[in-house]
Amino acid sequence: MRIRPAPFRKRRGALSIILGVVWLIAASGCHEPRHQYGVMPRDGEELPILDLVTGTHSHETQAMQVVIRDAPTLAQMPIVDVPVDFASQMLLVVTLGRVTSDQYLVTIDRVWREGGRLRVKTTVQTPPPGAPVAMASPYCIAVVPRCDLNVAGFSTRPPTRTRSWEQSTPPEKLGG
């Protein structure tokens, strides 16, 4: 005599399989993973400066310090193209604003963790006495490993500002 499973048992078996599959999917982590971006240095530990770009003419009219962690923010500060992978890196931008000598220089010397934030040491080199007047707007951009701690003295977005270059209105007629 052949025993056939009752329809109730058949449904319960299918339900058990479905629930088992759902449990396995949930337990195996098949969901959106948490992303851990960058590094979390220990207190006092330095972040390496991976690349450093300095220049004389940023065209920025005011001094600023900005940390950039994404492409949209970088697009608001078109100083110079710096290769950066925002998944693992960020930019620290320092500008001096408009100065009266192209012999000014600003550099980012070191980045380190102090307590619950990052600190940045910069150096400003001033021109010697009697240097010729030449308008400039020095800048320094450092590429460092991404860290989501606040950066002391740095803003997370560029300030509202005016740029020193603007296109002039073309004349009605050229020549005469």
Side-chain angles (χ1 to χ4, degrees):
M1 177 170 152
R2 189 171 200 203
I3 301 177
R4 292 177 42 186
F8 174 75
R9 285 191 177 167
K10 195 176 219 178
R11 283 191 203 125
R12 191 171 81 179
L15 182 60
S16 294
I17 291 173
I18 291 170
L19 290 174
V21 169
V22 169
W23 183 85
L24 282 174
I25 290 171
S28 68
C30 188
H31 57 282
E32 184 65 32
R34 284 183 179 234
H35 292 287
Q36 177 71 29
Y37 289 113
V39 297
M40 187 58 67
R42 293 184 307 270
D43 197 24
E45 184 179 359
E46 288 194 27
L47 267 73
I49 296 175
L50 307 172
D51 194 9
L52 193 67
V53 178
T54 62
T56 308
H57 299 287
S58 68
H59 302 287
E60 295 294 342
T61 59
Q62 62 182 328
M64 66 179 86
Q65 297 184 124
V66 180
V67 57
I68 300 176
R69 293 187 173 104
D70 57 46
T73 306
L74 179 59
Q76 296 174 36
M77 295 198 61
I79 294 174
V80 66
D81 287 333
V82 177
V84 60
D85 175 8
F86 286 114
S88 62
Q89 300 169 339
M90 64 183 187
L91 299 176
L92 300 172
V93 179
V94 177
T95 67
L96 295 184
R98 192 176 291 153
V99 295
T100 58
S101 175
D102 58 3
Q103 293 182 22
Y104 275 94
L105 177 67
V106 60
T107 58
I108 296 173
D109 302 315
R110 121 181 224 247
V111 181
W112 74 99
R113 180 178 177 175
E114 185 176 277
R117 63 184 173 179
L118 293 180
R119 306 274 304 176
V120 178
K121 181 183 181 302
T122 59
T123 301
V124 176
Q125 180 181 341
T126 58
V133 174
M135 296 306 289
S137 50
Y139 65 92
C140 182
I141 302 172
V143 180
V144 298
R146 184 181 178 105
C147 179
D148 291 330
L149 292 174
N150 289 332
V151 183
F154 280 66
S155 174
T156 56
R157 59 182 186 260
T160 303
R161 64 211 192 274
T162 58
R163 309 243 327 148
S164 64
W165 56 267
E166 293 181 17
Q167 183 174 343
S168 59
T169 305
E172 295 288 324
K173 289 185 175 181
L174 294 177

